[in-house]
Amino acid sequence: MYDVTIIGSGPAGLTSAIYARRAELATLVVSGAQPGGQLTITSAVDNYPGFPEGIEGPELMERIRAQAAKFGVEFDLGEVTAVDFETKPFKIAIGKRNVETRAVIIATGSACRWLGLESETKLRGKGVSACATCDGFFFTGKHVAVLGGGDAAIEEATFLTRFASRVTVVHRREELRASKAMQKRALDNPKIDFEWNSTVEDVLDPAKNKVTALVLKNVKTGETKELPVDGVFVAIGHEPATGLFKGKVELDAKGYVVTRGTRTSVAGVFAAGDVQDPRYRQAISAAGSGCQAAIEALKFIAGEDALPGW
Ligand code: NDP
């Protein structure tokens, strides 16, 4: 029997583990399919406080993991295969292993959606990025493309004009999904132009180990052309990792866990990080909500929090 079982081992999960152990809770972290989460596929992290020289994503996660281990957090490297939140204590299956736990923190994160092109995968971190906040700085004075037509794409494009000399938004339709206010800001920005009705057929040039151009196809005319760019930011949405929790806690229309603070619709089950946050999606905001979830779990276990769910 654990006091708290944390599902996921990105910044949210591991920060909640540190706080839970420091409060002397018997704490299990189930690391999941991608131990360390999205930061392990990121290169330089320049915006995490405390690292003025910057730090590589995998190293940052290893340090946070080591900090959690130092306090006696137990790790299970498996993947959660089923959860039962209807009986107390809660039950969690990790393959063949079944554990009981007084509280649960869901910190399974989200994954950014990629186009799925081989060239895109090969050039990730070499000109292909999914985070303007993280990587925009590297494109100072360059021409970059942003893929997508939602709020995230337009926000990324607008942010990138701080660094890039030119930003081309590539969208598969001729109408943006982004809010009118965001659209206006982008349409009025002289550094931003648009390639409408266009899909990306290929990212050039893996042979050169850097991005040199996009091959675009106009979906109306069928014509293809090359758009020379130095970098590409993919902003076509994220998918929260909540398949396991459908029907177990309340999810919104896009599949994110609905939270108030870090409470979910089930008393004793909390959620932290990107799995409940489509808006900020930063390592530091995930870590912050992990801290909050652990404090909420502690209060719940101590019986100080009588509210059912929310
Ligand atoms: P959205 O789902 O809103 O938009 C995704 C965009 O990517 C759409 O324009 C979509 O095209 C396009 N797209 C999806 N799949 C593909 C594909 N395979 N190939 C090409 N294009 C594709 O996601 P966002 O990440 O933009 O936003 C997520 C949520 O976060 C939204 O609710 C948004 O409002 C919110 N948000 C708010 C912000 C703010 O208010 N400042 C900032 C960022 C996000 P199509 O339009 O044709 O479907």
Side-chain angles (χ1 to χ4, degrees):
M1 164 79 86
Y2 293 94
D3 291 319
V4 57
T5 297
I6 297 159
I7 309 175
S9 57
L14 292 181
T15 304
S16 63
I18 291 167
Y19 273 79
R21 268 310 296 155
R22 297 260 298 157
E24 299 191 333
L25 299 181
T27 304
L28 175 68
V29 170
V30 188
S31 298
Q34 191 180 1
Q38 285 194 70
L39 273 187
T40 58
I41 53 163
T42 306
S43 47
V45 178
D46 280 335
N47 52 12
Y48 199 91
F51 298 94
E53 313 303 330
I55 184 165
E56 294 291 304
E59 190 192 343
L60 176 59
M61 289 322 301
E62 176 46 33
R63 282 175 170 242
I64 303 178
R65 195 203 60 78
Q67 193 173 352
K70 185 179 91 175
F71 292 122
V73 170
E74 191 182 320
F75 289 89
D76 187 312
L77 299 178
E79 263 186 82
V80 171
T81 42
V83 293
D84 177 357
F85 295 158
E86 287 190 356
T87 52
K88 297 265 172 65
F90 303 124
K91 291 180 185 56
I92 293 189
I94 310 157
K96 287 185 183 151
R97 182 181 179 203
N98 292 297
V99 301
E100 294 189 332
T101 184
R102 293 189 171 88
V104 173
I105 297 174
I106 300 171
T108 45
S110 74
C112 53
R113 199 178 287 145
W114 298 95
L115 295 172
L117 299 168
E118 203 180 316
S119 53
E120 172 198 48
T121 312
K122 281 189 179 153
L123 291 169
R124 251 188 242 172
K126 294 163 187 157
V128 173
S129 169
C131 179
T133 311
C134 322
D135 299 328
F137 178 75
F138 303 117
F139 295 90
T140 302
K142 305 262 167 104
H143 178 195
V144 297
V146 175
L147 313 184
D151 281 324
I154 298 309
E155 193 170 72
E156 300 265 271
T158 307
F159 178 78
L160 283 164
T161 60
R162 294 180 190 202
F163 311 103
S165 55
R166 181 180 164 203
V167 179
T168 303
V169 175
V170 178
H171 184 35
R172 62 184 176 183
R173 295 186 293 137
E174 56 196 348
E175 198 186 330
L176 295 171
R177 177 182 294 279
S179 65
K180 291 281 178 262
M182 301 270 288
Q183 287 192 28
K184 185 171 178 339
R185 218 185 312 158
L187 292 164
D188 289 350
N189 191 322
K191 279 188 168 184
I192 300 180
D193 54 50
F194 293 84
E195 288 284 349
W196 302 108
N197 299 311
S198 297
T199 54
V200 175
E201 300 296 293
D202 207 2
V203 185
L204 304 178
D205 183 353
K208 293 189 178 142
N209 217 17
K210 64 176 184 179
V211 172
T212 59
L214 295 178
V215 179
L216 301 184
K217 180 179 175 186
N218 185 304
V219 291
K220 290 222 156 148
T221 64
E223 281 168 26
T224 58
K225 69 170 185 183
E226 277 189 25
L227 175 74
V229 288
D230 304 297
V232 52
F233 288 82
V234 182
I236 59 172
H238 282 73
E239 279 165 19
T242 51
L244 264 180
F245 308 111
K246 271 189 196 129
K248 314 277 179 171
V249 294
E250 191 177 330
L251 305 179
D252 72 11
K254 292 194 168 154
Y256 287 89
V257 178
V258 177
T259 47
R260 294 191 188 163
T262 54
R263 286 185 200 162
T264 72
S265 56
V266 177
V269 178
F270 305 90
D274 288 12
V275 75
Q276 49 88 59
D277 168 26
R279 192 173 172 84
Y280 301 108
R281 297 195 296 252
Q282 299 301 302
I284 188 65
S285 52
S289 71
C291 156
Q292 293 173 338
I295 291 172
E296 292 289 347
L298 177 63
K299 285 185 184 298
F300 173 79
I301 290 164
E304 288 170 21
D305 191 347
L307 290 172
W310 38 58

